[in-house]
């Protein structure tokens, strides 16, 4: 037996998944840039933030160790609980956009639909639009005096509120913008998932007499569940960090701002307005813990409703 034949025979008898030792240095070399980037730009800032959450910063820089003082202040700060409640309400409202994205993706996946590329582009435009531009556009639409929305309502005899300064509706108005921003991105992910579903499932269901609605709930939704899970996790994480819409659409003297701040906006105020960087780091750590907890819960629950085959 030649040397080449011997190597081939060894490779064939090697346990599945086991690679030669000579490949490991190359594997580590390939993932080193990504690992270095994660360590420098993600893990190290997390470690620093946790450390700073136990410190107090002076007006001219520098910090001193204060132990759990920031966490004790946070527990007794009613603004934190209020901001967390606003954040959860906003996240729940934005999650309502996931079913809308599924419906949109199903419509865009309709065979022989004319102009489907145009529709996909139009719905994806908000994703590639700068958040500042989105905020300015919706600020004009929501304007209580000359905004497009109130003008449309006035045609039906409805006197619309001041959407970004009325504390009763401002959070819902922000959620509409959040859904509008994400619906195109989520629809593209669902569209990719829909196109991976084998057509013979639908053909077999049609032969058995299943209609479109029955096919949607018995075939499309179960086989789309991995995409739904992925989108849900990303949407929850992103909506819990909502900041730019409130910052861009609500002025500092807005009467509804205090009661509708999110937890990230509270972090911004503590860090960059009140110069309480230690307390701001404490808020960031709490938000990190909330996001991690919810993500772990979602991964545990996905075993009961996500179908990967």
């Amino acid at each position: 037996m030649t040397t080449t034949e011997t190597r081939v025979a060894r490779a064939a008898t090697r346990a599945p998944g086991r690679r030669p030792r000579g490949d490991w240095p190359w594997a580590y070399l390939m993932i080193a840039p990504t690992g270095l980037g994660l360590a420098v730009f993600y893990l190290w800032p997390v470690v620093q933030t946790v450390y700073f959450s136990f410190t107090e910063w002076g007006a001219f820089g520098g910090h001193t160790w204060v132990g759990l003082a920031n966490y004790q202040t946070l527990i007794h700060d009613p603004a934190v609980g209020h901001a967390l409640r606003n954040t959860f309400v906003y996240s729940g409202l934005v999650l309502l956009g996931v079913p809308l994205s599924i419906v949109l993706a199903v419509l865009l996946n309709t065979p022989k639909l004319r102009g489907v590329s145009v529709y996909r582009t139009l719905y994806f435009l908000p994703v590639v639009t700068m958040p500042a531009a989105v905020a300015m556009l919706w600020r004009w639409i929501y304007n209580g005096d000359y905004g497009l929305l109130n003008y449309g309502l006035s045609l039906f005899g409805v006197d619309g509120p001041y959407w970004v300064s009325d504390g009763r509706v401002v959070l819902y108005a922000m959620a509409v913008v959040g859904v509008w921003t994400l619906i195109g991105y989520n629809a593209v992910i669902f569209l990719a998932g829909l196109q991976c579903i084998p057509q013979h499932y639908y053909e077999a269901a049609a032969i058995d007499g299943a209609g479109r609605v029955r096919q949607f709930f018995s075939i499309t939704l179960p086989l789309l569940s991995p995409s739904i899970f992925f989108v849900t996790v990303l949407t929850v994480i992103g909506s819990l960090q909502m900041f730019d819409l409130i910052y861009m659409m609500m002025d500092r003297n807005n009467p509804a701002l205090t009661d509708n701040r999110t937890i990230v906006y509270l972090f911004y105020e503590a860090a960059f307005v009140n110069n309480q960087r230690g307390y701001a780091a404490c808020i960031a750590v709490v938000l990190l813990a909330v996001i991690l907890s919810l993500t772990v819960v979602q991964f545990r629950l996905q075993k009961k409703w996500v179908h990967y085959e």
Side-chain angles (χ1 to χ4, degrees):
M1 182 179 291
T2 63
T3 304
T4 304
E5 291 174 338
T6 303
R7 290 178 178 175
V8 171
R10 288 178 180 175
T13 57
R14 188 179 299 132
R18 187 175 180 182
R19 295 185 179 278
R21 292 183 177 180
D23 291 348
W24 289 108
W26 288 105
Y28 287 124
L29 184 63
M30 292 297 113
I31 65 173
T34 302
L36 184 62
L38 287 173
V40 172
F41 296 109
Y42 290 90
L43 296 181
W44 179 240
V46 170
V47 173
Q48 279 189 312
T49 302
V50 173
Y51 169 73
F52 289 149
S53 68
F54 297 101
T55 64
E56 182 178 4
W57 287 66
F60 299 99
H63 56 272
T64 55
W65 180 267
V66 294
L68 296 174
N70 288 326
Y71 289 91
Q72 293 174 347
T73 304
L74 183 141
I75 292 173
H76 297 92
D77 188 355
V80 174
H82 202 73
L84 280 175
R85 185 190 67 84
N86 292 336
T87 305
F88 288 138
V89 170
Y90 174 82
S91 301
L93 292 173
V94 172
L95 276 177
L96 296 177
V98 175
L100 296 178
S101 300
I102 295 174
V103 174
L104 177 62
V106 172
L107 293 176
L108 292 177
N109 198 42
T110 303
K112 300 180 181 178
L113 177 65
R114 291 184 178 180
V116 63
S117 299
V118 176
Y119 294 136
R120 291 175 183 174
T121 303
L122 290 177
Y123 283 111
F124 200 74
L125 272 180
V127 181
V128 297
T129 305
M130 294 297 293
V134 171
M136 297 304 294
L137 170 67
W138 280 92
R139 187 171 177 173
W140 168 69
I141 293 175
Y142 280 149
N143 190 284
D145 296 322
Y146 52 84
L148 184 64
L149 179 57
N150 277 1
Y151 172 74
L153 292 175
S154 67
L155 298 179
F156 299 95
V158 178
D159 189 15
Y162 287 85
W163 297 96
V164 294
S165 58
D166 188 338
R168 298 170 300 176
V169 298
V170 64
L171 210 54
Y172 301 98
M174 296 292 173
V176 169
V177 182
V179 170
W180 179 80
T181 306
L182 292 175
I183 193 169
Y185 175 76
N186 293 342
V188 169
I189 295 175
F190 289 138
L191 194 58
L194 288 172
Q195 293 177 351
C196 291
I197 299 176
Q199 287 299 313
H200 61 263
Y201 289 162
Y202 295 102
E203 295 170 359
I207 292 174
D208 291 339
R212 291 294 182 89
V213 176
R214 179 65 183 275
Q215 291 178 19
F216 176 77
F217 286 102
S218 300
I219 299 175
T220 303
L221 275 185
L223 295 182
L224 199 61
S225 56
S227 300
I228 297 174
F229 171 65
F230 174 74
V231 167
T232 303
V233 170
L234 288 188
T235 302
V236 169
I237 293 175
S239 57
L240 287 174
Q241 301 176 71
M242 201 278 277
F243 166 74
D244 49 358
L245 289 180
I246 289 184
Y247 180 77
M248 293 299 298
M249 295 179 67
M250 302 180 72
D251 298 327
R252 293 292 308 279
N253 55 356
N254 190 313
L257 178 60
T258 303
D259 292 333
N260 291 278
R261 292 176 296 183
T262 60
I263 192 67
V264 177
Y265 192 91
L266 202 65
F267 159 82
Y268 158 76
E269 281 191 334
F272 302 104
V273 178
N274 302 326
N275 198 32
Q276 298 174 327
R277 298 180 184 177
Y279 187 60
C282 180
I283 295 174
V285 171
V286 170
L287 176 60
L288 175 64
V290 170
I291 291 176
L292 282 177
S293 302
L294 290 178
T295 304
V296 169
V297 169
Q298 290 181 86
F299 269 87
R300 291 292 181 89
L301 292 179
Q302 59 97 18
K303 297 177 182 177
K304 297 183 178 180
W305 65 276
V306 177
H307 306 276
Y308 290 101
E309 293 182 358

